[in-house]
């Protein structure tokens, strides 16, 4: 950590004279750690061999997930990447080609453009279209919830062409909580859906892929091909069950935290920094005028604490590109963290405004 020397030589007013500075780490929800309840559940979880279908804790997690999503069956895999790979198989694994349709800012894409890319009875030089993939919430669009009417239209188009739809629902729980729509309704027209236990839900490992019994039968073969059949996977499923049973309310708090920070930045009326006020889940994009300040420079200043700074807080975040930084909220970010982060943001933004106006 190249900036640690900055912590030397003065005390931090927030933590009982401890010289460590308070850090608000908003880089990603993947850094969220398992809760105490999860750790305890993992320690005592009854387990068996999941490759034999004999792990009772995995089976319970799948049963709960199927109920929530209204799907027939599911499998537990180590990561979201693997769940998506199993569901669609990228080029290097399965000879599958992808046709990308450009996103709009709200996470949707133009359905007419999608239709123009569908190849139903193509020339022998072209692959035929077998699958449409959507992402909900949409990460790089700032955690946007895909509108239900749009999903319904997409579902109808896919059905009329006999094409399957897969939802990359890494953060679909955030979508359900923000839109107050049941998971089973959101994925009604989806042939398969996966969600991450390890992001905003806080579990340490794992993603669940859901679909029909026949689909999951095939998925288990592909999981083997990918090298990922796990044995006593109930250890990780146990944390997932705690996540499903007790972390949904926390997501509402995460969304509220995001709103407080978004509004604080918006209310500054900065000419340099604009916040995405449409953000309504746990991902906030902050856009900046990179002729005045680059994303890297802003990020660095949010992290640095100079000896004369009145606000002794470091904020960690990630950059999307040189004119956008991203905050992601999760259960370990507290009310106090949010208040401190707002003070720091207000201080730093005001400083840049003053510097660049002369
Ligand atoms: C994180 C993420 C993935 C991949 O999940 P991992 O568990 O990190 O492999 C896939 N899709 C989206 C939208 C994600 O945010």
């Amino acid at each position: 950590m190249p900036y640690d020397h900055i912590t030397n030589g003065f005390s931090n007013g927030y933590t009982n004279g401890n010289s460590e500075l308070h850090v608000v780490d908003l880089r990603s929800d993947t850094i969220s750690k398992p809760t105490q309840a999860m750790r305890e559940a993992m320690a005592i979880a009854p387990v068996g061999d999941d490759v034999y279908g004999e792990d009772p804790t995995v089976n319970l997690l799948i049963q709960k997930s199927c109920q929530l999503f209204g799907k027939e069956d599911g499998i537990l895999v180590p990561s979201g990447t693997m769940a998506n790979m199993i569901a669609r198989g990228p080029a290097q694994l399965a000879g599958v080609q992808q046709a990308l349709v450009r996103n709009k800012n709200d996470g949707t894409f133009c359905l007419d453009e999608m239709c123009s890319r569908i190849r139903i009875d193509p020339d022998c030089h072209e692959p035929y279209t077998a699958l449409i993939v959507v992402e909900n919430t949409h990460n790089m669009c700032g955690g946007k919830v895909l509108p239900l009417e749009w999903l319904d239209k997409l579902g109808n188009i896919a059905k009329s062409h006999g094409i399957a739809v897969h939802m990359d629902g890494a953060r679909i729980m955030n979508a359900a909580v923000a839109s107050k729509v049941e998971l089973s309704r959101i994925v009604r027209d989806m042939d398969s859906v996966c969600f991450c236990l390890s992001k905003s839900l806080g579990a340490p490992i794992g993603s669940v892929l859901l679909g029909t019994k026949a689909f999951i039968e095939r998925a288990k073969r592909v999981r083997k091909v990918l090298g990922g059949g796990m044995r006593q996977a109930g250890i990780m499923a146990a944390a997932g069950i705690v996540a499903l049973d007790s972390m949904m309310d926390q997501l509402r708090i995460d969304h509220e935290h995001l709103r407080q920070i978004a509004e604080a930045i918006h209310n500054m009326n900065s000419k340099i920094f604009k916040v995405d006020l449409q953000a309504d889940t746990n991902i906030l994009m902050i856009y900046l005028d990179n002729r005045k300040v680059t994303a890297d420079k802003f990020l660095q200043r949010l992290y640095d604490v100079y000896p004369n700074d009145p606000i002794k807080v470091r904020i960690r975040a990630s950059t999307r590109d040189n004119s956008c930084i991203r905050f992601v909220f999760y259960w370990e970010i507290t009310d106090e963290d949010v208040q401190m982060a707002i003070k720091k943001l207000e201080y730093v933004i005001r400083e840049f405004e003053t510097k660049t106006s002369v």
Side-chain angles (χ1 to χ4, degrees):
M1 199 49 56
Y3 306 103
D4 269 4
H5 67 277
I6 295 163
T7 60
N8 295 340
F10 57 87
S11 76
N12 168 8
Y14 292 107
T15 52
N16 291 334
N18 182 331
S19 67
E20 294 235 325
L21 285 176
H22 190 88
V23 179
V24 181
D25 197 340
L26 301 172
R27 285 172 300 165
S28 174
D29 47 10
T30 53
I31 60 182
S32 62
K33 295 185 192 72
T35 62
Q36 189 59 29
M38 287 175 188
R39 288 179 181 276
E40 283 164 17
M42 292 168 82
I44 58 167
V47 294
D49 189 336
D50 181 43
V51 177
Y52 285 59
E54 288 175 2
D55 189 298
T57 309
V58 172
N59 293 343
L60 180 61
L61 172 68
I62 296 303
Q63 187 195 326
K64 276 176 181 281
S65 303
C66 286
Q67 249 160 30
L68 276 173
F69 284 81
K71 296 293 177 205
E72 280 177 21
D73 203 0
I75 50 168
L76 177 64
V77 295
S79 69
T81 304
M82 190 158 155
N84 282 326
M85 264 190 190
I86 291 172
R88 73 179 147 186
Q92 70 264 42
L93 280 166
V96 171
Q97 306 220 13
Q98 315 210 38
L100 298 177
V101 183
R102 180 174 289 278
N103 268 116
K104 297 186 195 168
N105 288 338
D106 67 355
T108 67
F109 45 76
C110 173
L111 291 176
D112 287 337
E113 187 185 341
M114 179 189 84
C115 286
S116 75
R117 307 291 291 275
I118 291 177
R119 289 152 160 170
I120 300 162
D121 192 13
D123 177 81
C124 67
H125 297 90
E126 294 180 333
Y128 64 88
T129 304
L131 184 69
I132 297 167
V133 180
V134 294
E135 186 179 317
N136 193 16
T137 64
H138 198 290
N139 182 351
M140 285 303 148
C141 290
K144 294 287 155 48
V145 180
L146 298 181
L148 210 53
E149 317 82 68
W150 183 80
L151 277 176
D152 287 352
K153 276 187 207 156
L154 184 143
N156 284 335
I157 296 168
K159 210 172 285 171
S160 71
H161 290 108
I163 299 170
V165 186
H166 170 67
M167 182 176 281
D168 175 350
R171 296 185 181 82
I172 192 175
M173 302 305 186
N174 295 85
V177 165
S179 63
K180 302 191 176 70
V181 178
E182 297 214 341
L183 288 160
S184 55
R185 175 63 184 88
I186 298 175
V187 303
R188 185 190 68 187
D189 299 337
M190 305 295 126
D191 297 87
S192 58
V193 56
C194 64
F195 67 94
C196 285
L197 297 166
S198 61
K199 291 194 170 160
S200 49
L201 288 178
I205 320 166
S207 279
V208 175
L209 174 64
L210 301 165
T212 61
K213 277 205 177 332
F215 172 79
I216 295 300
E217 200 73 14
R218 277 179 284 139
K220 283 179 181 162
R221 296 190 68 83
V222 181
R223 183 175 66 175
K224 266 291 182 199
V225 171
L226 292 173
M230 293 173 292
R231 300 295 180 190
Q232 281 71 46
I235 301 279
M236 63 196 241
I241 290 171
V242 173
L244 292 186
D245 288 349
S246 67
M247 293 300 276
M248 296 293 223
D249 286 340
Q250 176 60 41
L251 302 186
R252 206 165 288 120
I253 297 171
D254 296 343
H255 298 176
E256 176 54 31
H257 284 160
L258 172 140
R259 179 116 312 258
Q260 287 169 16
I261 291 193
E263 279 172 9
I265 297 173
H266 176 75
N267 290 341
M268 293 192 74
N269 285 316
S270 168
K271 290 195 178 58
I272 309 172
F273 300 92
K274 303 274 179 233
V275 74
D276 176 11
L277 272 188
Q278 307 302 317
D280 53 5
T281 60
N282 73 329
I283 301 179
L284 181 65
M285 299 295 187
I286 299 166
Y287 300 93
L288 41 93
D289 180 347
N290 63 16
R291 291 164 307 180
K292 301 232 164 100
V293 51
T294 62
D296 282 342
K297 204 159 175 198
F298 183 42
L299 214 61
Q300 186 67 64
R301 187 64 185 97
L302 289 175
Y303 184 78
D304 286 347
V305 175
Y306 301 146
N308 290 333
D309 282 0
I311 315 292
K312 310 290 190 204
V313 178
R314 297 185 188 283
I315 299 176
R316 303 190 74 178
S318 48
T319 51
R320 191 186 69 178
D321 53 47
N322 67 359
S323 62
C324 179
I325 76 161
R326 190 187 74 162
F327 289 167
V328 190
F329 295 81
Y330 51 94
W331 74 273
E332 285 158 292
I333 302 299
T334 63
D335 292 346
E336 192 196 15
D337 286 332
V338 169
Q339 293 315 312
M340 288 191 198
I342 287 174
K343 287 210 182 78
K344 174 85 176 204
L345 279 159
E346 288 175 343
Y347 183 77
V348 168
I349 288 174
R350 215 169 282 129
E351 186 181 75
F352 277 118
E353 292 276 346
T354 320
K355 251 196 255 170
T356 55
S357 66
V358 287

